[in-house]
Amino acid sequence: MEMKKRITLELRNRAPEKVTELVLDNCRSSNGEIEGLNDSFKELQFLSMANVELTSLAKLPTLSKLRKLELSDNVISGGLEVLAERCPNLTYLNLSGNKIKDLGTVEALQNLKNLKSLDLFNCEITNLEDYRDSIFELLQQITYLDGFDQEDNEAPDSEDDDDEGDEDDDDDENEAGPPGEYEEEDDEDDGASDLGEGEEEEEVGLSYLMKEEIQDEEDDDDYVEGGDEEEEAEGVRGEKRKREPEDEGEEEED
């Protein structure tokens, strides 16, 4: 039931013939078969069945477009010749953590002509003397074994991603114009920036003028008020002048 639910979840909004990736990790197989996985997955390119207790690949459906197959942490010990018949276009195969013990078992993978990467981590076969050299000699079509090539260079995370990245770079180079076009664009940008600065200066100038007008009005008001004060001061001084002679006369009489 757990397996059925998982596949139903994967296919809730898609028909099997339109599915390109399917992950069934930690499900449970029955007699080497996962219920619901069949030949109807015609477009499937990536399939992961890690830790599903697979003992054999005899009931693996025909998946002619499958390129990557994850079978780690199962109990597979042989029967690998089925892969060339049912998944002829495999480029990546992960058999780490299985019961593969000898080169004779792996020899069946020679018919996978497109196979580029093979993982056999935690299999007993890795304990053989000259294990890596023997596998590269036996499977001359592969480039990477357990994540490294014969010169111990690490495999990229995804060869497909690298290819797509190269295509994107090529597209960018094709779209790029001659240096003159960049210079013209730079000139236009400079002009736009100059215009922006001019607009800012104009705005500052307008606000500055408006402030000046306000200050002028305030200065006019201050001037009028100041004139009144000066007139009052002159009147006071005139009164003082008038009083001074009178005061002097009073002093002389005394």
Side-chain angles (χ1 to χ4, degrees):
M1 285 298 293
E2 180 185 358
M3 210 168 2
K4 251 186 193 178
K5 289 180 181 178
R6 183 66 175 272
I7 292 181
T8 302
L9 181 64
E10 294 282 348
L11 304 179
R12 181 174 294 172
N13 297 317
R14 292 184 294 177
E17 60 272 12
K18 294 183 179 180
V19 175
T20 58
E21 297 185 4
L22 188 61
V23 177
L24 302 174
D25 296 349
N26 304 313
C27 294
R28 292 292 175 264
S29 63
S30 176
N31 297 322
E33 179 182 12
I34 291 184
E35 186 178 356
L37 182 63
N38 51 49
D39 295 347
S40 62
F41 291 85
K42 297 179 180 180
E43 298 297 322
L44 198 61
Q45 297 181 28
F46 174 83
L47 173 61
S48 183
M49 296 188 293
N51 190 32
V52 297
E53 298 183 355
L54 273 180
T55 58
S56 168
L57 297 176
K59 296 184 179 181
L60 185 71
T62 298
L63 304 168
S64 58
K65 291 189 177 182
L66 194 68
R67 298 183 62 198
K68 295 185 178 183
L69 179 58
E70 292 271 359
L71 295 172
S72 59
D73 300 321
N74 286 291
V75 285
I76 299 169
S77 59
L80 300 183
E81 61 276 357
V82 172
L83 292 173
E85 176 188 347
R86 301 180 187 176
C87 308
N89 291 306
L90 274 185
T91 61
Y92 172 81
L93 176 61
N94 188 348
L95 290 168
S96 60
N98 280 276
K99 303 296 182 180
I100 298 172
K101 301 178 181 180
D102 53 58
L103 293 174
T105 303
V106 178
E107 188 176 2
L109 300 177
Q110 287 179 330
N111 294 324
L112 283 172
K113 302 301 182 182
N114 297 312
L115 188 64
K116 299 299 179 186
S117 182
L118 174 65
D119 283 347
L120 294 170
F121 282 121
N122 297 326
C123 293
E124 289 186 41
I125 192 174
T126 61
N127 296 325
L128 296 177
E129 187 176 356
D130 298 327
Y131 152 71
R132 287 181 59 82
D133 291 339
S134 299
I135 294 293
F136 277 117
E137 184 178 353
L138 182 65
L139 305 176
Q140 296 185 9
Q141 79 272 34
I142 70 171
T143 304
Y144 300 102
L145 176 62
D146 301 333
F148 294 87
D149 64 13
Q150 285 182 278
E151 284 73 35
D152 290 331
N153 296 314
E154 189 173 2
D157 292 338
S158 174
E159 294 179 10
D160 294 338
D161 291 344
D162 292 342
D163 293 338
E164 290 176 4
D166 294 338
E167 290 176 3
D168 292 341
D169 293 340
D170 293 338
D171 292 339
D172 293 340
E173 290 177 2
N174 293 334
E175 291 176 1
E181 293 184 5
Y182 286 109
E183 293 175 359
E184 291 178 2
E185 290 177 2
D186 291 339
D187 293 339
E188 291 176 2
D189 293 340
D190 293 339
S193 62
D194 293 340
L195 180 60
E197 292 175 2
E199 290 176 354
E200 291 177 1
E201 289 177 358
E202 184 177 357
E203 291 176 1
V204 171
L206 289 173
S207 62
Y208 180 76
L209 291 175
M210 292 175 65
K211 288 180 181 178
E212 279 191 339
E213 291 176 1
I214 295 171
Q215 289 177 355
D216 290 342
E217 292 176 359
E218 292 176 354
D219 292 343
D220 292 340
D221 295 340
D222 294 339
Y223 177 77
V224 172
E225 293 175 357
D228 295 339
E229 291 176 359
E230 289 178 2
E231 290 177 0
E232 291 177 0
E234 289 178 356
V236 171
R237 285 197 295 269
E239 291 178 358
K240 286 182 178 179
R241 291 193 193 100
K242 291 179 181 179
R243 290 175 183 173
E244 286 175 356
E246 295 176 357
D247 295 339
E248 289 177 356
E250 292 176 356
E251 289 176 358
E252 287 176 0
E253 287 178 1
D254 296 335

